[in-house]
């Protein structure tokens, strides 16, 4: 496997048809190194989420190329995109936990996407991860009985559970207080180091910028700045 | 339960957990499934009871073959007749060892307090013992005494308790068709859809009661065959002895099945039952669909999240079918219990033979699962709205 996890070349994206057709991305080029933490920044409406969903196989790539883990996504079919997504982890702005499942069960879903497995082992893995995120006392709580920050941490645990190659996160720390927000991002970093997990995150949180290997800024659908982050360990930063 | 289902499904039982998490919705769904089950059971019960009451009079007889008139109707109690000559023609066949005519007529019995019951009379030769149910052979001989009858203890709308002790030595008197009759014994047949009770008399008494009827034109003819003979073959050979379309020859089973089919498919009552079953199934499908599709709509974000995580279509189909089957498998039981209650009340109130059969319960259970699964399949269309790209 190459050291580049994501390679975006001449990517364009349009929404709508005819009169309403609107271009959201213009000639985006970006290479993300394996194991790195890349932060996407930019004003609202600049195309951050669109870029994230294209790289995350949640949208079809119509123009240009996205190579994800050495697979081309341009003109890929729905089934291969679904299979690809099993190697990814998503953390959404809203936690999107299942309200009928406990914290543990929500995290277990991240493991069960890979098919039949030993439920006991799944539960143990989920417990371990939730414990790491400071939710060891809330394993059997339904989301309705958790605070916003706790729910978001469960969602983070769910994304991390299946040991994804890449994590895509859109403002994941918005609902978290300072301490747990930073703790969560540190966890991403540590995982990145230990497992070679790549993280692409949309955030405005300045404290997180300090942890980033790389900061990419979008404006009106174009990359206007692409610089190395201020993280001390920048060994894995890919060449711009 | 969760652990059991998890092991069964090889994943968390999300459908089950979803249903349990909304008890109000679950109860409404179960009530709906149970209600639909009751509708279907009641209709099937009535239809079954009609089939059963069609069968009862046939069970009084045990001939090898039955010769019936070629008239349109397929009912044993139909008023059509045929010439007794047909019986003598049949006796020519070497495998036919005997024959007896039966005469049927209907009369109204007004008992004391202006209640009235419609009585089906069977007139039989007193020596027709070999053609009737064993239990009737002996009492039949006693009927040779003029103006005697075997009365039906299960006759509807009449208090029959006074007849319980009826005996040839101690006949219980009653009046019918303006004649004084004596009950010298009882049968237990009961009312069906066509009448309220069945009385047996000798052919001679029958002609006294129904003076317009003649011994030359019985309602049906019963034939006994040589024990080694194949009734099917003899029937075919007999048919060739008669002018075309002069008679119909059937075994008792055939005649019974034919009449059930006739009552079910050509009589309005049968069609109403079929219609009722269809309505019940539709009600069930609609209610289950409402609940399942509301549940999908409520969880659209969660499903979109699962899609984003890489779960395939089959996973979602599995959840919805899991819910559908749970609704069916739980809702069925209160439906069954209520239907049993309904059957018992109806049997008690009307004396019609209505009861639960294991076949019917199993068939309705399977039908319930299929109907709920169909609702689930319909509800699945809502899944398309789960779009993972919209989650960010
Ligand atoms: N589903 C959509 N349909 C039409 N236009 C969209 C859709 N999603 C995003 N857009 C448009 O694309 C542009 C980029 O949006 P987005 O990627 O959400 O920006 P950001 O995440 O940086 O706020 C915006 O102008 C937005 O209005
Ligand atoms: Mg956005």
């Amino acid at each position: 496997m190459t050291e580049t996890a994501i390679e975006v070349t001449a990517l364009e994206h349009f929404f709508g048809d005819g009169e309403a057709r609107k271009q959201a991305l213009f000639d985006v080029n970006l290479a993300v190194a394996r194991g790195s933490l890349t932060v996407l920044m930019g004003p609202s409406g600049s195309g951050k989420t669109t870029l994230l969903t294209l790289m995350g196989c949640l949208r079809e790539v119509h123009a240009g190329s996205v190579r994800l883990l050495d697979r081309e996504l341009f003109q890929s079919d729905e089934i291969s995109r679904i299979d690809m997504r099993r190697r990814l982890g998503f953390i959404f702005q809203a936690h999107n936990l299942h309200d009928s499942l406990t914290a543990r069960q929500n995290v277990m879903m991240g493991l069960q996407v890979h098919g039949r497995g030993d439920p006991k082992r799944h539960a143990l893995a989920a417990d371990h991860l939730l414990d790491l995120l400071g939710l060891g006392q809330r394993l059997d709580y339904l989301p309705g009985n958790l605070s916003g920050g706790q729910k978001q941490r469960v969602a983070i645990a769910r994304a991390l559970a299946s040991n994804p190659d890449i994590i895509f996160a859109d403002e994941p720390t918005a609902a978290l207080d300072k301490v747990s927000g930073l703790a969560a991002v540190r966890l991403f970093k540590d995982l990145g180091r230990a497992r070679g997990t790549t993280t692409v995150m949309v955030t405005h949180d300045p404290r997180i910028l300090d942890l980033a290997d790389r900061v990419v800024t979008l404006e009106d659908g174009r990359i206007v700045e692409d610089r190395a982050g201020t993280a001390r360990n920048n060994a894995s930063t890919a060449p711009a | 339960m969760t652990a059991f289902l998890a092991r069964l499904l090889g994943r968390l039982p999300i459908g089950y957990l979803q249903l349990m998490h909304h008890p109000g919705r679950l109860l409404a769904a179960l009530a709906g499934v149970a209600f639909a089950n009751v509708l279907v059971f009641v209709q099937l019960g009535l239809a079954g009871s009609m089939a059963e009451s069609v069968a009862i009079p046939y069970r009084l007889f045990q001939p090898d073959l039955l010769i019936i008139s070629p008239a349109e109707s397929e009912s044993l109690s139909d008023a059509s007749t045929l010439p007794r000559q047909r019986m003598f023609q049949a006796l020519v066949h070497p495998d036919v060892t005997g024959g007896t005519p039966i005469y049927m007529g209907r009369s109204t019995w007004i008992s004391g307090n202006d209640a009235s019951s419609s009585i089906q009379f069977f007139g039989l030769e007193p020596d027709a013992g070999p053609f009737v149910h064993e239990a009737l052979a002996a009492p039949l001989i006693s009927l040779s005494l003029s103006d005697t009858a075997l009365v039906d203890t299960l006759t509807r709308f009449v208090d029959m308790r006074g007849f319980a002790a009826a005996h040839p030595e101690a006949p219980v008197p009653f009046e019918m068709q303006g004649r004084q009759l004596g009950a010298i014994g009882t049968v237990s047949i009961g009312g069906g859809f066509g009448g309220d009770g069945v009385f047996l008399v000798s052919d001679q008494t029958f002609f006294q009661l129904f003076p317009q009827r003649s011994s030359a034109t019985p309602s049906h003819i019963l034939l006994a065959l040589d024990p080694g003979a194949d009734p099917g073959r003899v029937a075919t050979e007999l048919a060739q002895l008669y002018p075309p379309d002069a008679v119909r020859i059937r075994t008792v089973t055939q005649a019974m099945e034919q009449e059930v089919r006739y009552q079910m498919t050509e009589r309005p009552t049968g069609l109403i039952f079929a219609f009722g079953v269809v309505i019940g199934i539709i009600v069930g499908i609609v209610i289950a669909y409402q609940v399942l599709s509301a549940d999908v709509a409520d969880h659209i974000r969660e499903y979109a999240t699962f899609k984003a995580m890489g779960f395939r279509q089959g996973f979602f189909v599995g959840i919805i079918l899991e819910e559908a089957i749970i609704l069916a498998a739980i809702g069925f039981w209160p439906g069954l219990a209520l239907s049993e209650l309904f059957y018992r009340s109806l049997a008690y109130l009307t004396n019609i033979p209505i009861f639960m059969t294991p076949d019917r319960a199993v068939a309705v259970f399977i039908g319930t699962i299929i109907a709920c699964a169909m609702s689930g399949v319909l509800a699945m269309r809502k899944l398309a709205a789960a779009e993972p790209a919209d989650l960010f």
Side-chain angles (χ1 to χ4, degrees), chain A residues 80-143:
Chain A
S80 61
R81 266 183 287 139
I82 290 174
D83 286 347
M84 204 65 197
R85 293 206 291 261
R86 297 185 174 193
R87 301 174 61 184
L88 312 176
F90 293 99
I91 302 162
F92 308 96
Q93 235 160 335
H95 56 82
N96 292 329
L97 296 180
H98 195 301
D99 66 354
S100 317
L101 304 184
T102 63
R104 174 192 287 131
Q105 289 169 332
N106 266 292
V107 176
M108 285 169 75
M109 291 312 295
L111 294 163
Q112 300 201 338
V113 71
H114 297 289
R116 253 173 201 274
D118 178 4
K120 278 207 192 86
R121 211 179 294 165
H122 284 172
L124 276 178
D127 292 357
H128 174 68
L129 214 47
L130 285 167
D131 201 32
L132 275 182
L133 284 157
L135 292 170
Q137 308 300 314
R138 299 282 185 276
L139 300 174
D140 290 313
Y141 280 48
L142 290 173

Side-chain angles (χ1 to χ4, degrees), chain B residues 144-220:
Chain B
S144 49
L145 208 66
S146 153
D147 288 329
T148 56
L150 300 179
V151 299
D152 188 347
T153 50
L154 296 179
T155 304
R156 254 195 306 238
F157 313 127
V158 187
D159 183 357
M160 297 299 291
R161 276 173 297 187
F163 291 92
H167 191 269
E169 261 91 78
V172 180
F174 65 104
E175 199 190 285
M176 258 188 110
Q177 299 278 85
R179 284 189 79 84
Q180 195 67 36
L181 297 174
I184 56 159
T186 59
V187 290
S188 301
I189 298 166
F193 287 76
D196 300 314
V198 173
F199 286 12
L200 268 62
V201 293
S202 70
D203 51 347
Q204 293 314 313
T205 305
F206 184 88
F207 301 133
Q208 301 292 338
L209 287 167
F210 300 94
Q212 74 282 14
R213 293 288 297 271
S214 118
S215 63
T217 55
S219 303
H220 308 288

Side-chain angles (χ1 to χ4, degrees), chain A residues 15-16 22-24 42-51 59 170 202 218, chain B residues 390:
Chain A
F15 286 109
K22 182 172 183 300
Q23 188 158 2
S44 175
S46 58
K48 305 180 296 293
T49 298
T50 306
L51 179 56
R59 272 186 213 289
D170 202 343
V202 173
L218 281 164
Chain B
D390 295 339

Side-chain angles (χ1 to χ4, degrees), chain B residues 50-93:
Chain B
M50 187 162 83
E52 181 65 19
S53 58
V54 161
I56 286 173
Y58 283 98
R59 295 205 188 114
L60 296 175
F61 309 107
Q62 46 180 9
D64 295 309
L65 286 176
L66 199 63
I67 304 183
I68 57 186
S69 91
E72 281 292 301
S73 162
E74 292 286 354
S75 173
L76 183 68
S77 55
D78 176 49
S80 59
T81 58
L82 76 173
R84 187 169 50 169
Q85 185 60 22
R86 303 293 177 222
M87 182 176 85
F88 301 122
Q89 285 170 308
L91 289 171
V92 171
H93 190 286

